[in-house]
Amino acid sequence: MGQSPSLPGPPGTKFRVIGAGMSRTGTKTFNEALTILLDGPVHDSGIQSLGGPVSQMKTWLDIMELAPKANTFSEKKKLDWLISDVLDGYVATMDCPAATLTPEIMRVFPDAIVIVTTRDEKSWWKSMNNMNEMMGTWYLPLVVLWLHKTQVYGAWRDRFHLIMKWRYNQDKIEEDTLRKHQAHLREVVPPEKLFFYEVSQGWEPLCKILNVPVPDRPFPHNNSKGDAAQTFRNHIVAGTVSWLFAIMIFCMAIMFIRSWLAQRAS
């Protein structure tokens, strides 16, 4: 939340980084920093899967549905193709759901390194729980029902619950998810490809990981708590307006039908 979808670069753009940090670990700031350092578009899977091009949203729903049950050779190859297709033209990806599918993305891009944005667990959970409370409200799927791109939210949430159950034996992101997620990454990612990074550290450690020079510009900062709350309010306002418009159209249709029936009866 707090950023706009990004468009892919030319097909075949070298994919270099899997941003495997859990949501609310500075992923949006990390997105902007990588865009600067790698000079290419970054695929924020949270933004792209919920508000990107329709084709990307559909592909992410297919990936999220298939990943937990891809056991056969053909199913794994189909999953590989879907991941390759949705990430083609990007230099990196990050945030959920991609962060929870790090081993699957590594299979498609074996040369990429894995950078895990992290933060203090208590402060992370405070931020994450605030997000859960906003996005988990019972009325959000109903309010945004008539908004074209947000109609996928219900299906996205159901599939993400399945991924959480499959990968971490949890129904949703909980207080110990950050610890479980990072332990999982230490098990599945080769040590020489795994890096942990806090965005509060700024340019130097990130540039060292990527082996690039430190840019002569301030380190970015994005997606504060206020940004997320404002995006949530924007969705509620837009959804409410869409409902008012739908009700107005319905009332006009009823009035037209009643008028037409009255004319036929006279």
Side-chain angles (χ1 to χ4, degrees):
M1 304 178 84
Q3 281 185 332
S4 300
S6 60
L7 296 176
T13 296
K14 184 175 177 57
F15 185 88
R16 297 180 56 184
V17 175
I18 301 170
M22 186 58 66
S23 299
R24 310 307 297 173
T25 58
T27 54
K28 302 302 182 284
T29 296
F30 185 48
N31 181 327
E32 193 169 340
L34 281 186
T35 300
I36 295 168
L37 295 177
L38 301 181
D39 192 27
V42 174
H43 185 103
D44 185 312
S45 65
I47 292 174
Q48 304 294 137
S49 63
L50 284 168
V54 173
S55 61
Q56 288 191 11
M57 292 193 296
K58 181 182 184 305
T59 301
W60 269 114
L61 288 178
D62 291 342
I63 290 171
M64 295 168 74
E65 181 177 16
L66 179 59
K69 57 185 182 183
N71 296 316
T72 67
F73 178 81
S74 60
E75 288 171 340
K76 290 180 180 180
K77 284 300 180 183
K78 181 179 180 181
L79 181 60
D80 290 350
W81 183 87
L82 290 169
I83 291 172
S84 175
D85 179 59
V86 81
L87 296 181
D88 187 27
Y90 292 93
V91 296
T93 189
M94 64 188 53
D95 216 330
C96 293
T100 64
L101 300 174
T102 297
E104 289 72 25
I105 299 175
M106 286 174 56
R107 191 169 66 227
V108 179
F109 300 102
D111 294 333
I113 62 172
V114 177
I115 302 180
V116 188
T117 48
T118 187
R119 63 188 289 190
D120 171 74
E121 287 189 27
K122 289 184 178 180
S123 66
W124 169 79
W125 176 241
K126 182 178 180 181
S127 178
M128 190 71 244
N129 195 41
N130 177 69
M131 180 68 71
N132 283 343
E133 290 176 355
M134 284 194 298
M135 300 304 292
T137 53
W138 64 268
Y139 56 82
L140 181 60
L142 180 63
V143 171
V144 301
L145 182 64
W146 301 107
L147 298 180
H148 178 62
K149 285 192 173 182
T150 51
Q151 289 173 356
V152 304
Y153 178 66
W156 189 99
R157 185 167 61 177
D158 291 343
R159 285 163 172 78
F160 189 67
H161 287 171
L162 292 176
I163 289 177
M164 293 296 298
K165 191 70 174 179
W166 163 62
R167 186 117 281 171
Y168 311 112
N169 197 30
Q170 295 178 324
D171 291 324
K172 59 182 180 179
I173 296 178
E174 299 176 358
E175 190 168 1
D176 64 344
T177 300
L178 183 66
R179 192 180 317 121
K180 284 188 173 184
H181 174 64
Q182 294 182 358
H184 167 71
L185 293 173
R186 289 187 175 95
E187 291 177 359
V188 300
V189 181
E192 66 274 12
K193 288 185 174 290
L194 181 62
F195 302 89
F196 288 85
Y197 167 70
E198 294 187 24
V199 295
S200 61
Q201 297 172 324
W203 286 124
E204 284 77 8
L206 181 57
C207 292
K208 184 177 180 181
I209 292 170
L210 296 171
N211 194 27
V212 297
V214 176
D216 185 20
R217 58 188 297 179
F219 189 77
H221 179 74
N222 207 325
N223 199 42
S224 68
K225 179 180 177 181
D227 293 333
Q230 184 59 51
T231 302
F232 177 79
R233 288 192 293 269
N234 290 345
H235 278 82
I236 294 298
V237 170
T240 302
V241 171
S242 69
W243 266 105
L244 292 173
F245 181 76
I247 292 171
M248 182 183 69
I249 295 297
F250 178 76
C251 291
M252 291 176 63
I254 293 296
M255 292 174 61
F256 175 81
I257 293 171
R258 290 181 63 182
S259 176
W260 179 74
L261 291 175
Q263 290 178 3
R264 284 179 60 89
S266 60

